[in-house]
Amino acid sequence: MIEQQKLITKNWFEELRNQTIDIFQDIENSNSKSLKKNKFSYKKWKRKSSGVQDHGGGTMGIMYGDIFEKVGVNVSTVHGKFSSKFKQQIPGTDKSGKFWASGISVVAHMNSPFIPSFHFNTRYIVTENSWFGGGMDMTPSFKNLKNKNTLHQNLKKMCDAHSKGYYNKFSKECDKYFYLPHRKETRGDGGIFFDRLNSKKFEKDFEFVKDTGKSFIDIVPQIIIQNIKKKWTKNDKIKQKIKRGRYAEFNLLYDRGTRFGLETDGNIDAILMSMPPEAIWK
Amino acid sequence: MIEQQKLITKNWFEELRNQTIDIFQDIENSNSKSLKKNKFSYKKWKRKSSGVQDHGGGTMGIMYGDIFEKVGVNVSTVHGKFSSKFKQQIPGTDKSGKFWASGISVVAHMNSPFIPSFHFNTRYIVTENSWFGGGMDMTPSFKNLKNKNTLHQNLKKMCDAHSKGYYNKFSKECDKYFYLPHRKETRGDGGIFFDRLNSKKFEKDFEFVKDTGKSFIDIVPQIIIQNIKKKWTKNDKIKQKIKRGRYAEFNLLYDRGTRFGLETDGNIDAILMSMPPEAIWK
């Protein structure tokens, strides 16, 4: 049974990757003024480990465009054994320490300072336990209540269809997670964030994870369209790059995924794909 | 006696700050093609703490120029009590946990991709023990053996005048410290780095610390002059900004001073003054 769950989650993450890329390329090329078509390029990587057997790997997809200044869409499916150091932090690793993990992660840094950055991730982890994690959040360079409402109203509606408590719980977890204590600032407008999701009903949890992904590729185009016609000045762009400095600070100082990846010899390019294309520190 | 040592070290760090700023402003304005004079601007800050009494503070100096794209020169003198968490990491804090610390730190990010970034810091720390720490290192965007030799030959000569073992020991410590394990890269060309320096002869150690500072303001102009006439392309500048991304990664992921500052509620602007003005992640 768990083997089938691994297969269908992995397949879904890959299907969602394909859908995301189709939608993003379509937005890019129907709005870009340049003649050449911008496309994702791909790079496969294999997880290196001291053992001999296959430890899985992933595919990075990245596009540099006129609308999407830099957008990465990664899928990976890896397996192996946690070191004794990491075992302590991960549930269900008391006996063998074996794990399997599959997921998709997306980070979009937009060219327009008036379109927020978007981040999305969902994953399925199997040890002696199994659970889903993920979420999405949005980081604007300029406050915009309409965008924030679009994000949160859509997320609330999606969450409510699954469980009345989800939106409240997961949006609070998002605010708590995406916080820069040294700046006393939130990273952005929040969103939803969940981890260790296991209601003991795999199908129910998986449906929620799928809907989180579907919401992401529904919300992002809405917010892009709301702002795509706005002109910006050189100074707006500088402000965006300063905000991106905060994004870099969060990822390197606090993001658990980044730290986890770096400390477990993950693929550097895939881990740091989330970094902004250009950042400024004044 | 310790009170007099505090006073003379603090005075030296401030004197060195003044000398550094004079030299850097002079380099900037004798080489810049713009008509306006570029100057350091200053911002004083006070160390906030829960107590009522004075906890010291510092002065940040920063200049944005044509030769020095962004250069910060900070002095600070602070005192207080370490939290029980930090006590464990700091020698001589078993009894009261009281500390006093004074220092100067300089980070110069240059406009020309052919002039390396320079970093320098010296400090005197007093708990129930007392010691000096500091060093300097250099981060080029492009390999240049002449620059590297200028740095190391000058440092070796300076170290050798104090103790035959210093250069070997402190340059190794520098290479070990300024290393990015996730990139399997050194930060740059190295330099010297020392900590917990206490030979039981205050005067001897202080002379070494002073000479480290004097070397810094002697070496930097030499390396600038060696490269200032070189023209660069847009692509060279992009490569420099990518290298600066590594600099940002090091500071946020590994630098003990940055982490220490952020975790002890230090002054954010002073702590992050070391960040590059513009960085790129591809």
Side-chain angles (χ1 to χ4, degrees):
Chain A
M1 188 143 99
I2 194 79
E3 289 310 314
Q4 209 202 330
Q5 289 169 4
K6 287 180 182 177
L7 187 66
I8 60 169
T9 51
K10 173 182 182 293
N11 286 347
W12 161 250
F13 296 138
E14 289 174 358
E15 191 190 317
L16 179 62
R17 186 266 316 264
N18 296 341
Q19 288 185 30
T20 305
I21 282 176
D22 282 350
I23 290 172
F24 285 6
Q25 283 184 171
D26 191 48
I27 294 173
E28 173 65 29
N29 292 303
S30 22
N31 291 286
S32 159
K33 277 160 194 150
S34 82
L35 286 175
K36 78 165 174 33
K37 291 258 175 208
N38 289 314
K39 273 186 167 184
F40 276 80
S41 59
Y42 301 92
K43 202 171 160 185
K44 279 181 197 274
W45 56 272
K46 286 201 169 182
R47 185 169 169 266
K48 278 174 208 155
S49 190
S50 42
V52 226
Q53 52 171 145
D54 165 47
H55 287 78
T59 304
M60 288 181 277
I62 196 153
M63 176 170 70
Y64 303 97
D66 301 318
I67 309 304
F68 291 88
E69 190 172 333
K70 176 186 173 186
V71 52
V73 181
N74 287 353
V75 285
S76 65
T77 303
V78 298
H79 54 99
K81 240 178 161 175
F82 283 117
S83 68
S84 46
K85 187 184 162 195
F86 273 101
K87 269 179 157 184
Q88 295 161 15
Q89 301 171 34
I90 314 282
T93 52
D94 299 341
K95 288 173 205 161
S96 73
K98 275 189 190 169
F99 74 93
W100 177 96
S102 185
I104 173 171
S105 78
V106 183
V107 177
H109 293 284
M110 313 302 294
N111 196 14
S112 167
F114 296 117
I115 306 179
S117 295
F118 301 99
H119 165 242
F120 162 80
N121 162 258
T122 45
R123 56 196 177 267
Y124 185 51
I125 317 277
V126 180
T127 59
E128 289 143 40
N129 306 349
S130 63
W131 65 90
F132 288 100
M136 85 179 75
D137 75 299
M138 185 170 94
T139 308
S141 302
F142 297 94
K143 276 195 179 151
N144 181 316
L145 202 59
K146 192 178 171 197
N147 292 342
K148 190 174 179 176
N149 286 342
T150 302
L151 174 75
H152 282 274
Q153 283 160 5
N154 276 279
L155 286 176
K156 186 172 189 311
K157 202 172 146 194
M158 184 278 292
C159 285
D160 286 353
H162 290 272
S163 168
K164 283 292 166 197
Y166 274 5
Y167 173 76
N168 196 25
K169 184 163 184 265
F170 298 152
S171 64
K172 269 187 192 144
E173 279 183 27
C174 188
D175 288 340
K176 202 174 146 195
Y177 183 77
F178 293 105
Y179 183 72
L180 287 78
H182 66 288
R183 297 278 185 190
K184 297 181 177 66
E185 286 174 10
T186 58
R187 176 159 98 165
D189 279 344
I192 58 169
F193 183 91
F194 55 93
D195 204 1
R196 314 268 157 96
L197 181 73
N198 183 347
S199 67
K200 317 252 161 173
K201 289 174 192 148
F202 172 82
E203 281 302 332
K204 175 179 146 60
D205 296 339
F206 185 37
E207 281 308 312
F208 175 67
V209 165
K210 280 164 82 174
D211 277 352
T212 302
K214 288 175 196 168
S215 278
F216 176 70
I217 53 176
D218 178 48
I219 292 169
V220 169
Q222 288 183 52
I223 292 172
I224 292 176
I225 299 307
Q226 277 170 200
N227 301 285
I228 202 152
K229 295 233 164 104
K230 288 180 192 160
K231 305 269 179 234
W232 65 86
T233 65
K234 212 175 155 182
N235 203 34
D236 296 329
K237 192 72 191 171
I238 289 171
K239 282 181 184 159
Q240 181 196 42
K241 288 184 190 174
I242 290 170
K243 183 71 183 173
R244 285 178 179 169
R246 309 290 211 260
Y247 208 93
E249 287 173 22
F250 180 84
N251 286 9
L252 297 174
L253 286 169
Y254 306 114
D255 187 58
R256 274 180 252 158
T258 305
R259 290 228 148 226
F260 182 85
L262 295 178
E263 289 180 28
T264 52
D265 261 334
N267 183 286
I268 291 299
D269 296 326
I271 297 163
L272 294 180
M273 193 200 60
S274 63
M275 296 300 278
E278 277 198 80
I280 283 178
W281 282 270
K282 275 285 174 191
Chain B
M1 186 145 102
I2 193 81
E3 289 310 315
Q4 208 202 329
Q5 289 169 4
K6 286 180 183 176
L7 187 67
I8 60 168
T9 51
K10 173 181 182 293
N11 285 347
W12 161 251
F13 296 138
E14 288 173 2
E15 191 190 317
L16 180 62
R17 186 265 316 266
N18 296 342
Q19 287 184 29
T20 305
I21 282 176
D22 282 349
I23 290 172
F24 285 7
Q25 282 182 172
D26 191 48
I27 294 173
E28 174 63 31
N29 292 304
S30 23
N31 291 285
S32 160
K33 275 159 194 152
S34 82
L35 286 175
K36 80 164 175 29
K37 290 258 176 210
N38 289 315
K39 272 187 168 184
F40 275 80
S41 60
Y42 300 93
K43 203 171 159 185
K44 279 181 197 275
W45 57 272
K46 286 201 169 182
R47 186 169 168 266
K48 278 174 207 155
S49 189
S50 41
V52 227
Q53 52 172 143
D54 165 47
H55 286 76
T59 303
M60 286 181 279
I62 196 155
M63 176 170 70
Y64 302 98
D66 301 318
I67 309 303
F68 290 89
E69 190 172 332
K70 177 185 172 187
V71 51
V73 181
N74 287 354
V75 284
S76 66
T77 303
V78 298
H79 53 100
K81 238 177 163 175
F82 283 117
S83 68
S84 47
K85 187 185 161 196
F86 272 102
K87 269 181 159 183
Q88 295 161 14
Q89 301 171 33
I90 314 282
T93 53
D94 299 343
K95 290 173 202 161
S96 72
K98 276 189 190 168
F99 73 94
W100 177 96
S102 185
I104 173 170
S105 77
V106 183
V107 177
H109 293 284
M110 312 304 293
N111 196 13
S112 166
F114 296 117
I115 305 179
S117 296
F118 301 100
H119 165 243
F120 162 79
N121 162 258
T122 45
R123 56 195 178 269
Y124 186 50
I125 317 277
V126 181
T127 59
E128 290 144 40
N129 306 349
S130 63
W131 65 91
F132 288 99
M136 85 178 75
D137 75 299
M138 184 170 95
T139 309
S141 302
F142 297 94
K143 277 194 179 152
N144 180 317
L145 202 59
K146 191 180 172 196
N147 293 340
K148 191 173 176 176
N149 286 341
T150 302
L151 174 74
H152 282 276
Q153 282 162 4
N154 276 280
L155 287 176
K156 185 169 188 311
K157 201 173 148 193
M158 185 278 292
C159 286
D160 284 354
H162 290 271
S163 168
K164 283 290 168 199
Y166 275 4
Y167 173 76
N168 195 25
K169 184 162 184 264
F170 298 153
S171 65
K172 269 187 192 143
E173 278 182 28
C174 188
D175 287 340
K176 200 174 149 197
Y177 183 76
F178 292 105
Y179 184 73
L180 288 78
H182 67 289
R183 297 279 187 190
K184 297 179 177 65
E185 287 174 10
T186 58
R187 176 159 99 165
D189 279 343
I192 57 167
F193 183 89
F194 55 93
D195 204 2
R196 314 268 160 93
L197 181 73
N198 183 345
S199 67
K200 317 254 163 169
K201 290 176 190 146
F202 171 82
E203 281 302 333
K204 173 179 146 62
D205 296 340
F206 185 37
E207 281 308 311
F208 175 68
V209 164
K210 280 164 83 174
D211 278 352
T212 302
K214 288 175 196 167
S215 278
F216 176 69
I217 54 176
D218 177 47
I219 292 169
V220 170
Q222 288 183 52
I223 292 173
I224 293 176
I225 299 309
Q226 278 170 200
N227 301 283
I228 202 152
K229 295 233 162 103
K230 288 182 191 160
K231 305 270 177 234
W232 66 86
T233 65
K234 214 174 155 182
N235 202 35
D236 296 328
K237 192 74 191 169
I238 288 171
K239 283 183 184 156
Q240 182 196 41
K241 289 184 189 175
I242 290 171
K243 184 69 182 175
R244 285 178 179 170
R246 308 289 210 263
Y247 208 94
E249 287 173 22
F250 180 84
N251 285 8
L252 297 173
L253 286 169
Y254 306 113
D255 187 58
R256 275 181 251 157
T258 305
R259 291 230 148 224
F260 182 85
L262 295 176
E263 287 180 30
T264 50
D265 262 334
N267 182 286
I268 292 300
D269 296 326
I271 297 162
L272 294 180
M273 192 202 60
S274 63
M275 297 299 279
E278 278 197 81
I280 283 178
W281 282 270
K282 274 285 174 189

